[in-house]
Amino acid sequence: MQVTLKIFRYNPETDKKPHYETYKVEAEPTDRVLDLLEKVKGEQDGTLTFRRSCAHGVCGSDAMRINGMNRLACKVLVKDLGTDHITIEPLLGLPTVKDLVVDMEPFFEHYRSVKPFFINNDPPPQKERLQSPEERARFDDTTKCILCAACTTSCPSFWLDGQYVGPAAIVNAHRFIFDSRDQGAEERLKILADQFGVFRCHTIFNCTLACPREIQITKAIGEVRKAIATGRLD
Ligand code: SF4
Ligand code: F3S
Ligand code: FES
């Protein structure tokens, strides 16, 4: 089949403003959108710029807007889109570096702000820090994040001014807040209770719909809000 790709193009060094370029490529219905981008870059226009690494839905580097929805280009098959016209644009809410590449630094700044690492000041035990299967299950869902930013950049509260800490940061805080071995819940909940924290979420659910790992993000945000409101982690 022949597919028409309409791709957002912008080189801040030479372009006054962004524009779209159209490319026609031969494709199989089982090709991924990433395969089509590679084809354009390899056969038609070497200046097309996008990020990718693993090509298997693991590294999170190729999140972009595909026909209006945030997705990983390596996980979307042409046949899944149900059309031979595909519009590809960079994520919203982050500055465009070039074409489909956005500056992820504001996203990672929010991520770092919630202390997304294990905090425990007790002396390390002889062996591992034990945890029951039930305790491990409590935060299993939020361990699956690959930091692709598809959630945060689909959230209207984040688009507003970029100050909202965003769903990805909350997911990664949740992963440690509800870990029975961790002792940093109190400081993380304090950070997330501030004016740019969890209460900026208006339960819009775009984040949950966008997550390629199918993490129940809105539920996790609700659990963090509840922990702030009640002071309990149950
Ligand atoms: Fe990506 Fe999902 Fe993690 Fe958000 S929660 S950064 S959408 S993997
Ligand atoms: Fe935004 Fe998700 Fe809340 S889209 S408003 S973080 S439910
Ligand atoms: Fe790694 Fe798509 S290239 S997730």
Side-chain angles (χ1 to χ4, degrees):
M1 65 189 287
Q2 192 180 63
V3 173
T4 304
L5 299 176
K6 188 176 152 197
I7 305 180
F8 178 100
R9 302 297 309 267
Y10 180 49
N11 180 352
E13 286 178 8
T14 54
D15 300 339
K16 282 208 174 73
K17 57 184 176 105
H19 66 283
Y20 288 84
E21 294 277 346
T22 301
Y23 306 89
K24 290 189 186 303
V25 288
E26 285 304 316
E28 296 294 328
T30 49
D31 278 345
R32 304 162 303 176
V33 170
L34 180 62
D35 298 323
L36 307 189
L37 288 172
E38 301 278 18
K39 215 173 244 191
V40 171
K41 188 170 177 69
E43 298 169 9
Q44 298 187 38
D45 187 346
T47 67
L48 176 64
T49 304
F50 52 92
R51 232 185 236 127
R52 57 88 81 184
S53 181
C54 72
H56 286 89
V58 178
C59 72
S61 65
D62 63 341
M64 52 189 77
R65 259 184 309 149
I66 300 171
N67 283 356
M69 278 200 63
N70 283 2
R71 310 167 194 247
L72 297 178
C74 66
K75 280 195 77 177
V76 181
L77 305 184
V78 171
K79 66 176 182 180
D80 293 341
L81 292 168
T83 172
D84 55 6
H85 281 68
I86 305 175
T87 302
I88 308 175
E89 298 161 300
L91 297 173
L92 284 175
L94 294 170
T96 303
V97 176
K98 187 170 182 248
D99 298 340
L100 303 173
V101 175
V102 293
D103 178 1
M104 294 285 281
E105 187 45 34
F107 171 81
F108 283 117
E109 203 178 309
H110 286 309
Y111 168 68
R112 288 191 295 267
S113 76
V114 301
K115 302 183 185 281
F117 43 80
F118 187 62
I119 300 173
N120 186 319
N121 296 319
D122 292 344
Q126 290 276 316
K127 290 188 180 171
E128 69 270 33
R129 295 178 197 267
L130 292 177
Q131 186 167 56
S132 71
E134 292 74 26
E135 286 169 336
R136 175 63 180 75
R138 181 69 186 86
F139 60 95
D140 186 64
D141 198 35
T142 47
T143 63
K144 297 176 193 155
C145 177
I146 55 171
L147 294 173
C148 68
C151 54
T152 297
T153 59
S154 68
C155 173
S157 295
F158 179 73
W159 294 339
L160 190 65
D161 57 9
Q163 300 211 64
Y164 169 38
V165 70
I170 301 171
V171 159
N172 285 279
H174 179 286
R175 181 258 169 268
F176 291 100
I177 289 169
F178 292 96
D179 185 332
S180 58
R181 302 162 299 183
D182 184 271
Q183 297 175 342
E186 204 177 317
E187 36 181 327
R188 291 193 197 93
L189 291 174
K190 198 165 165 226
I191 293 163
L192 290 170
D194 92 352
Q195 58 171 328
F196 303 121
V198 285
F199 296 104
R200 278 230 172 172
C201 168
H202 300 293
T203 329
I204 294 169
F205 270 94
N206 283 8
C207 53
T208 303
L209 292 174
C211 181
R213 304 288 293 167
E214 297 180 359
I215 297 170
Q216 296 304 303
I217 302 176
T218 313
K219 179 169 175 267
I221 295 172
E223 290 174 359
V224 173
R225 287 162 79 125
K226 188 171 164 217
I228 291 169
T230 62
R232 296 204 323 265
L233 297 177
D234 50 12

